[in-house]
Amino acid sequence: MAVALGLPGGHTVASPFDQSMLARLASEAPTLSVEVLKNALSASACAVTNGVDMPERLAVIDFSLPSSEERLWIFDLANGQLVLKDLVAHGRNSGNLESTVFSNVEGSYQSSIGLFKASESYRGKHGYSLRLDGLEPGINDLARQRAIVIHGADYVNDSWVRDYGRIGRSHGCPAVDQQVIRQVVDNLKGGQLVFKYYPDQRWLQSSDYLNCNSGRLARADERVSDRS
């Protein structure tokens, strides 16, 4: 039987996102903050409890780390294993080496944080890419309208870090290395979850997923289903 994973605010959610999963994934990703991982699992547990399909995989992006460090992790939840760890870009108006400012506004060229559902893959101007639907009203729910997608970029690689001390920046998309874009898209498309973290206190205290507000979540999920 699954042990309930404690949520911020003292709430608990009985789900496969239990303490043993937290321990397994933490051992697979020792450079990922346990607190960030716990938040990712808590948000995912709340989403599943409120009607989101149980994902097979979960991506975690820790925007509190500089872009010169690998700050994207993709986990196989069924096996409790790390699938991929790599670099990921932030929006050019979110910061230089570090990202500190986030937005849900179209044209801001800033990244957004919170919980997302990875939707359909497609081929666009950046090649093979993945559309994201933000699940948090006012935080990231305009992601599709803003064309916030996961795509490959020539400015996301180790050579950029060696030459400039950081990777390049996007228009707000979590762009990844061209060498891993297919692996990233194929592992996440079709409804997997993506959790982007930054220690923004307003978001941490008000997020419906981190604090599990079931009433508002039901309405938010209906809006995402209508768009998908």
Side-chain angles (χ1 to χ4, degrees):
M1 186 175 79
V3 178
L5 179 68
L7 294 172
H11 303 289
T12 58
V13 174
S15 78
F17 298 95
D18 58 16
Q19 294 292 344
S20 75
M21 178 181 284
L22 175 63
R24 288 169 66 189
L25 298 187
S27 69
E28 288 281 309
T31 59
L32 172 58
S33 162
V34 173
E35 189 62 29
V36 172
L37 179 57
K38 184 175 181 179
N39 277 317
L41 293 177
S42 294
S44 300
C46 189
V48 170
T49 298
N50 285 279
V52 173
D53 291 339
M54 176 67 192
E56 297 176 3
R57 286 168 292 280
L58 170 66
V60 180
I61 296 173
D62 184 359
F63 278 138
S64 71
L65 298 175
S67 70
S68 56
E69 296 183 20
E70 293 180 332
R71 53 183 183 171
L72 162 68
W73 295 260
I74 298 177
F75 296 100
D76 183 320
L77 297 177
N79 299 318
Q81 295 178 340
L82 180 67
V83 175
L84 176 142
K85 175 189 175 190
D86 218 301
L87 299 166
V88 62
H90 57 252
R92 73 184 193 191
N93 287 340
S94 282
N96 194 14
L97 171 63
E98 298 179 345
S99 52
T100 58
V101 183
F102 303 90
S103 176
N104 192 37
V105 176
E106 189 170 2
S108 67
Y109 293 165
Q110 294 177 6
S111 297
S112 50
I113 54 178
L115 189 65
F116 300 75
K117 181 186 291 186
S119 298
E120 74 275 15
S121 61
Y122 71 100
R123 289 193 175 275
K125 65 179 181 180
H126 297 293
Y128 194 47
S129 305
L130 177 64
R131 297 196 192 279
L132 298 175
D133 285 309
L135 299 179
E136 305 203 39
I139 300 296
N140 60 28
D141 60 329
L142 297 183
R144 182 174 285 261
Q145 178 179 319
R146 295 178 62 205
I148 300 300
V149 303
I150 297 178
H151 63 79
D154 293 335
Y155 52 76
V156 182
N157 53 59
D158 291 330
S159 63
W160 263 76
V161 176
R162 288 193 299 269
D163 293 343
Y164 305 108
R166 62 170 177 84
I167 58 174
R169 297 167 296 169
S170 68
H171 285 178
C173 296
V176 300
D177 192 327
Q178 296 280 20
Q179 299 300 313
V180 301
I181 183 59
R182 177 163 291 278
Q183 184 182 6
V184 171
V185 172
D186 287 347
N187 270 285
L188 295 179
K189 66 183 181 182
Q192 311 314 310
L193 293 180
V194 178
F195 182 78
K196 303 183 195 177
Y197 174 85
Y198 185 77
D200 179 287
Q201 291 305 308
R202 183 179 67 86
W203 167 64
L204 290 172
Q205 293 169 14
S206 66
S207 168
D208 290 336
Y209 287 93
L210 292 177
N211 300 285
C212 222
N213 187 318
S214 298
R216 286 190 295 190
L217 286 174
R219 295 191 294 272
D221 191 53
E222 288 175 2
R223 288 193 293 271
V224 170
S225 298
D226 290 342
R227 294 198 301 266
S228 299

